[in-house]
Amino acid sequence: MKKNILLIGFALLSVQLLMSQNFTLSGKVIDQQTKTPLEYCTISILDSNTNQLVEGGITNTDGSFSIEVTKGTYTVLIDYISFESKKIETLAIDSDKDLGTVLMEINTQQLENVVVYREKTEVEIRLDKRIYNVGKDLTIRGGTVSDVLDNVPSVTVDIEGNVALRGDQNVRILINGKPSSLVGVSGGEALRQLPAESIDKVEVITSPSARYEAEGSAGIINIILVKNKFGGFNGSLSSNIAYPKSFGVSGNLNYRTKKYNLFLNSGYNNGTSIGNSYYKSEFLKPEGNDELIENRVFDRNRVGWNTNAGIEYFITEKSSLTTSLFLSDRDNNNIATNQLFSTDFGLETIETLRQEKEDEVSNTFEFNINFNHNFNDDGHKLSIDFQKENSEEIEDGDVFVNEIAPNPNKKMGETVLTDETFDQILIQADYVNPFSESGQFEAGFRTVLKDRVILYELTNEVTSGNFEINTDLSNTLEYQENIYAAYSQYGNKVGKFSYFFGLRFEQTEITINQKTGNQEIKNSYGDLFPTINLSYELTNSQSITLGFNRRISRPRGRFINPFPSRSSATNLFQGNPNIQPSYSNGLDLGYLKRWDQISLNGSVYFTRQTDVFIFILEDTGDKTMVGETLVPILRRYPINLASQNRYGFELNSSASISKKWRVNGNINFFANDLKGSHNGKIYDKKSTSWSGRLSNTLTLPKKIDWQTNVFYRGPREDAQNKSKGFASVSTAISKDVLKDDGTITFRISDVFNSQRRRSNLLTENVKNYSEFQWREPSYTLNFTYRFNERKSRKSNRGESGGEGESFDF
């Protein structure tokens, strides 16, 4: 009897254990038309008998989901805004079950009334990149693309607009994954005029895989423009006014049906920016030092508009064709006033006033065609791209020099004309084949043909009203660069271990034609660029990554032009036609840990670079007449040094202290070991520096959001220069109005007027101290109105750690 009771007891216990055992229900949700993953789909698991909710969850960035349930029979509901719901009834689960790929189709009856939620998780971690969604950042509203980049962890934008990744300016900036004229002929200047509202997200790629071009030793920054994938008609309009005098308007519109998707983002801005600089140079001589002091004030007026419009046509359920057109036009007026004091051996002081009025007109045309074909629903696809660009930038300046002392009536003048045109054609094809559930093979090719022509013309006033061309400085440079590339890579996931191996080949053909000097230089080189990306999941909440890549930094057109250009009569910039490309090999070891409300992402990195670029300053030996005194002319130009070892440590953290308080932080320590010599001079230099950023966001009563960003850039050195550290603070408050369809934001940039560069330079013959401030503090009021598009405050969109992880297979 006792034996039977025991047997029955064990049987009941076994049934209970079996009933309570958890099984995994998984799958992947994608858009039936575009074959793209659908993030944040709601998965609901209901009891088939009671119709009560048992478990639930949402899809990840790659559209996948995994939910644990006990044995039973269930009904599974899959919902996504503006799409038809999917319902799977009487699903018996007694073991792990994979639903495979679930296709979602647009609900045409909801297209006109759909409400789009655009605010996303702030940070997504992939195997070879980090993705920063900019929707939540208050301090960039009404700002520019340059402001956006300056708020992205790991990225800094210096006083002059130069973008750096982990403190290294050898970074490649892409638009939608391709080199683009949206960056502009002038690079950083163009980024300062594109509206921030045109950006959806920024990808920071410190260990690029072989699918990316090999340019940029520091890595790649990929700017993704807004193009909604949601159905119906939706969008937003934004306007801002600012002090110093500035105003702008921008808009993002989208209309999608089953057969096509129309998108448009456009902006106009008109603003004033005031900056200043100070230079003090001492020319060291045994008999006594000459001294030269320059005070410059910049008064800039920027007027520009840009439009990015396109249509995506769904040819079949598996194929689509997208065409887009980008146009921009800028008309800038700059007035630079340069007050110069020259002391000859401490005896006579000469004071002159140099005023340069410059009109800068630029326009950009870019046409893109993209064809996508999906062979199946598992990511097997072919993509073909064609891109044609043309940009022109004309700077026409008049310079007037008045001597104040000792000859107050003496006047001189000159004119400066720079006309730069840029043409580019890009042809690219990429093939992806996921040959298994976790494995993937990729291959592709790219051809980029670039042609840049720079005309520089300087005329001097020889007599009152009569000008002659300065043949020593006026010149025309034509620079052609053709790059032919092919790549292949393979990735897989075995248990908790993921790997991605790639190899890229790039053939570079360069022709430099200095037409004025009848000098033609040709260079040709081919290189292999291997990449390795590894990842291991220690637990469900922590993982480590290891990346290796070989990169190249090619000299740009200005680097190689042997004719000098000048910012003043005593300061020249001259290119070096013999400069060679620089190569680097980099290692990156990363760690990710997530808790319920906190995430931590850190990395240790090392890069060895050969033939590294640096800029040196030297006395040319020539002199120019300032008043009645001959003043030495200084020249700054680039050279190749032997090598540079760069290593550092970076830490990013995000914490949701409560539903109303969120903190993000980033800190980067790095060191440089530079070695090499030039013309018998040794430029060996070891230096360390660091930068840090802290962002604090609070939700105040009445649903007012308040964000403050603090940034610090530490002191740094190179072969000749020492720059002091500086800190800056920006703050913004925001309030939703009109039933959350509108948002009013007020922001202050550089609250304490502290964002300026201070540096010292010392050579055998010259001692120099300089200060530079691009712009003074600004105050901006911004209003954004959204139609059929609202902000989401749902906790599953970033109230917790704010980071998601997926492998980019």
Side-chain angles (χ1 to χ4, degrees):
M1 184 69 177
K2 291 182 180 180
K3 184 178 181 180
N4 292 334
I5 292 175
L6 288 174
L7 289 174
I8 294 173
F10 278 120
L12 290 174
L13 181 61
S14 299
V15 171
Q16 286 181 325
L17 290 173
L18 184 62
M19 292 295 293
S20 62
Q21 183 178 354
N22 286 338
F23 300 104
T24 300
L25 177 66
S26 60
K28 184 175 183 178
V29 184
I30 67 172
D31 186 329
Q32 181 170 317
Q33 288 182 311
T34 65
K35 308 306 179 187
T36 56
L38 295 179
E39 183 184 5
Y40 297 127
C41 286
T42 301
I43 313 297
S44 302
I45 302 177
L46 310 177
D47 188 293
S48 292
N49 297 321
T50 64
N51 208 34
Q52 296 293 314
L53 179 67
V54 177
E55 293 289 347
I58 60 173
T59 56
N60 298 321
T61 55
D62 60 353
S64 64
F65 64 89
S66 179
I67 302 171
E68 289 189 352
V69 295
T70 58
K71 180 181 179 181
T73 303
Y74 301 99
T75 298
V76 180
L77 292 178
I78 304 176
D79 294 298
Y80 194 64
I81 192 166
S82 79
F83 282 74
E84 297 277 2
S85 297
K86 283 283 185 181
K87 187 175 184 180
I88 304 172
E89 297 183 303
T90 320
L91 181 66
I93 297 180
D94 55 10
S95 62
D96 292 343
K97 186 174 290 294
D98 186 358
L99 298 180
T101 300
V102 180
L103 302 178
M104 299 287 283
E105 188 176 1
I106 290 179
N107 186 336
T108 56
Q109 296 180 353
Q110 296 181 3
L111 289 181
E112 300 302 324
N113 299 315
V114 65
V115 176
V116 178
Y117 294 94
R118 280 191 53 204
E119 196 164 288
K120 301 178 182 179
T121 304
E122 287 183 80
V123 183
E124 303 168 24
I125 306 296
R126 303 286 180 91
L127 184 60
D128 60 350
K129 60 188 170 187
R130 285 171 289 171
I131 304 173
Y132 296 90
N133 297 290
V134 300
K136 289 187 176 183
D137 198 330
L138 307 183
T139 60
I140 55 95
R141 292 179 184 173
T144 67
V145 172
S146 184
D147 295 321
V148 172
L149 294 181
D150 202 25
N151 277 6
V152 172
S154 306
V155 180
T156 57
V157 181
D158 70 10
I159 307 300
E160 284 138 331
N162 300 308
V163 179
L165 179 57
R166 290 174 168 172
D168 188 349
Q169 293 184 7
N170 291 316
V171 60
R172 183 62 161 159
I173 300 177
L174 304 178
I175 304 291
N176 292 333
K178 297 186 288 292
S180 173
S181 54
L182 273 69
V183 177
V185 172
S186 55
E189 176 63 23
L191 296 177
R192 281 173 162 155
Q193 294 191 251
L194 289 172
E197 286 76 15
S198 64
I199 297 183
D200 181 30
K201 54 192 174 184
V202 177
E203 297 179 344
V204 176
I205 310 170
T206 54
S207 183
S209 65
R211 77 167 66 93
Y212 297 103
E213 60 180 290
E215 179 73 27
S217 61
I220 293 173
I221 297 174
N222 186 25
I223 300 171
I224 306 297
L225 300 182
V226 171
K227 186 180 75 170
N228 289 338
K229 288 287 187 180
F230 299 102
F233 181 60
N234 54 79
S236 63
L237 299 174
S238 181
S239 63
N240 65 82
I241 58 174
Y243 176 84
K245 183 182 177 182
S246 175
F247 67 90
V249 293
S250 63
N252 296 307
L253 305 176
N254 192 86
Y255 181 70
R256 175 172 167 169
T257 68
K258 282 189 174 183
K259 293 299 294 182
Y260 57 85
N261 180 37
L262 296 168
F263 56 92
L264 168 71
N265 48 73
S266 185
Y268 169 84
N269 63 80
N270 186 328
T272 298
S273 177
I274 299 175
N276 58 80
S277 66
Y278 170 83
Y279 296 87
K280 180 180 179 181
S281 300
E282 292 185 58
F283 303 94
L284 310 178
K285 298 179 180 179
E287 65 271 22
N289 296 341
D290 293 345
E291 187 175 84
L292 184 68
I293 297 176
E294 297 183 50
N295 288 304
R296 301 179 191 174
V297 177
F298 308 97
D299 189 350
R300 313 177 190 89
N301 180 247
R302 277 31 184 167
V303 180
W305 63 267
N306 61 85
T307 295
N308 183 37
I311 179 172
E312 184 177 10
Y313 176 64
F314 306 112
I315 304 171
T316 66
E317 289 188 355
K318 294 184 179 296
S319 301
S320 67
L321 182 69
T322 302
T323 61
S324 64
L325 182 67
F326 177 83
L327 300 171
S328 77
D329 186 87
R330 298 196 299 272
D331 187 359
N332 302 333
N333 298 298
N334 306 320
I335 299 177
T337 303
N338 185 355
Q339 192 171 16
L340 186 147
F341 300 87
S342 175
T343 303
D344 184 13
F345 306 138
L347 301 177
E348 180 183 24
T349 298
I350 300 170
E351 181 180 355
T352 59
L353 186 67
R354 172 189 172 97
Q355 187 175 67
E356 181 175 351
K357 296 181 179 180
E358 180 185 83
D359 294 325
E360 178 186 318
V361 179
S362 63
N363 57 76
T364 298
F365 168 88
E366 179 180 303
F367 177 69
N368 290 274
I369 298 178
N370 169 260
F371 172 77
N372 271 300
H373 177 72
N374 296 279
F375 296 95
N376 55 35
D377 299 328
D378 297 324
H380 186 193
K381 61 183 180 180
L382 173 68
S383 177
I384 301 174
D385 291 275
F386 172 80
Q387 181 174 293
K388 175 71 171 70
E389 305 177 41
N390 174 263
S391 297
E392 183 176 16
E393 183 177 283
I394 301 174
E395 298 177 0
D396 190 359
D398 296 319
V399 181
F400 303 95
V401 182
N402 299 328
E403 186 173 335
I404 299 174
N407 301 308
N409 295 322
K410 187 170 183 178
K411 298 182 180 180
M412 296 172 288
E414 63 184 36
T415 64
V416 180
L417 172 67
T418 304
D419 187 348
E420 182 172 355
T421 60
F422 175 72
D423 293 280
Q424 176 175 277
I425 293 177
L426 179 145
I427 302 172
Q428 176 177 321
D430 298 282
Y431 172 75
V432 181
N433 185 4
F435 52 85
S436 66
E437 182 178 347
S438 58
Q440 181 167 298
F441 170 79
E442 294 185 30
F445 74 88
R446 171 186 285 189
T447 296
V448 182
L449 310 177
K450 301 179 184 179
D451 191 352
R452 189 185 301 269
V453 179
I454 305 172
L455 168 67
Y456 181 81
E457 184 177 277
L458 174 68
T459 65
N460 299 114
E461 187 176 20
V462 291
T463 59
S464 180
N466 296 316
F467 291 80
E468 289 184 357
I469 294 179
N470 186 325
T471 56
D472 292 332
L473 297 179
S474 300
N475 68 95
T476 301
L477 174 76
E478 183 174 2
Y479 177 79
Q480 293 180 334
E481 180 183 276
N482 298 333
I483 302 174
Y484 309 93
Y487 77 92
S488 178
Q489 57 187 12
Y490 169 82
N492 209 337
K493 185 174 183 179
V494 181
K496 295 184 177 182
F497 177 69
S498 301
Y499 59 89
F500 219 22
F501 301 118
L503 184 64
R504 185 180 185 91
F505 173 78
E506 291 190 356
Q507 176 69 30
T508 305
E509 307 284 345
I510 293 177
T511 300
I512 304 167
N513 186 4
Q514 178 43 259
K515 294 185 175 182
T516 305
N518 293 321
Q519 182 182 9
E520 185 176 271
I521 300 173
K522 291 189 176 183
N523 198 3
S524 175
Y525 46 89
D527 299 286
L528 289 172
F529 301 94
T531 62
I532 300 173
N533 285 287
L534 310 174
S535 177
Y536 184 77
E537 299 176 27
L538 299 172
T539 66
N540 291 333
S541 61
Q542 61 179 332
S543 61
I544 56 174
T545 60
L546 177 64
F548 167 81
N549 61 84
R550 185 172 188 256
R551 311 283 296 166
I552 185 174
S553 293
R554 299 179 179 91
R556 299 188 293 271
R558 185 169 179 255
F559 280 37
I560 46 84
N561 190 356
F563 274 75
S565 60
R566 68 185 191 181
S567 57
S568 72
T570 58
N571 286 279
L572 300 177
F573 177 89
Q574 186 171 0
N576 179 2
N578 297 315
I579 197 167
Q580 297 297 311
S582 175
Y583 294 90
S584 65
N585 293 288
L587 281 171
D588 190 299
L589 177 64
Y591 172 78
L592 172 67
K593 170 65 177 176
R594 290 175 294 176
W595 294 270
D596 289 340
Q597 303 297 327
I598 301 173
S599 66
L600 185 67
N601 175 229
S603 63
V604 178
Y605 56 90
F606 171 80
T607 301
R608 177 169 177 80
Q609 192 171 359
T610 57
D611 290 327
V612 62
F613 306 144
I614 70 161
F615 293 92
I616 63 173
L617 185 72
E618 66 179 11
D619 190 340
T620 63
D622 298 327
K623 296 186 178 183
T624 185
M625 187 68 70
V626 177
E628 302 296 333
T629 303
L630 290 173
V631 176
I633 298 176
L634 302 180
R635 175 178 60 191
R636 185 171 178 261
Y637 67 102
I639 63 171
N640 289 114
L641 283 189
S643 66
Q644 175 179 260
N645 290 333
R646 183 180 180 85
Y647 46 93
F649 169 76
E650 183 181 36
L651 186 65
N652 299 281
S653 182
S654 175
S656 292
I657 299 174
S658 69
K659 289 184 177 181
K660 297 184 178 182
W661 186 8
R662 182 174 178 78
V663 179
N664 293 290
N666 165 256
I667 192 166
N668 178 40
F669 288 92
F670 59 91
N672 288 321
D673 186 0
L674 184 68
K675 292 184 178 180
S677 61
H678 179 71
N679 289 339
K681 295 182 180 179
I682 297 176
Y683 290 96
D684 293 0
K685 188 66 179 180
K686 291 184 178 181
S687 64
T688 59
S689 186
W690 69 282
S691 63
R693 180 184 284 107
L694 182 66
S695 176
N696 186 78
T697 304
L698 287 172
T699 300
L700 304 176
K702 305 295 183 180
K703 294 183 178 179
I704 296 175
D705 293 326
W706 177 26
Q707 180 177 329
T708 299
N709 291 348
V710 180
F711 172 75
Y712 178 76
R713 171 175 165 166
R716 55 192 61 190
E717 298 182 32
D718 60 24
Q720 289 186 329
N721 298 276
K722 291 183 179 181
S723 297
K724 297 183 178 180
F726 68 85
S728 65
V729 177
S730 297
T731 189
I733 57 173
S734 177
K735 167 67 177 172
D736 291 340
V737 295
L738 303 177
K739 298 181 180 179
D740 289 347
D741 285 331
T743 302
I744 298 175
T745 304
F746 177 71
R747 68 182 178 93
I748 305 175
S749 299
D750 193 14
V751 175
F752 301 106
N753 193 23
S754 56
Q755 196 166 357
R756 65 177 66 223
R757 186 200 66 211
R758 296 179 174 89
S759 59
N760 292 281
L761 178 146
L762 180 63
T763 69
E764 293 179 355
N765 303 316
V766 180
K767 181 180 179 181
N768 178 274
Y769 172 78
S770 64
E771 295 184 7
F772 182 81
Q773 182 179 33
W774 169 258
R775 67 179 180 186
E776 297 176 354
S778 61
Y779 308 84
T780 305
L781 181 65
N782 181 80
F783 174 71
T784 299
Y785 179 76
R786 297 171 291 274
F787 45 94
N788 297 333
E789 179 180 300
R790 292 180 183 171
K791 292 174 64 180
S792 171
R793 295 180 179 271
K794 294 183 179 180
S795 60
N796 59 23
R797 307 244 177 141
E799 286 293 325
S800 61
E803 296 188 355
E805 181 182 14
S806 65
F807 300 112
D808 206 12
F809 291 160

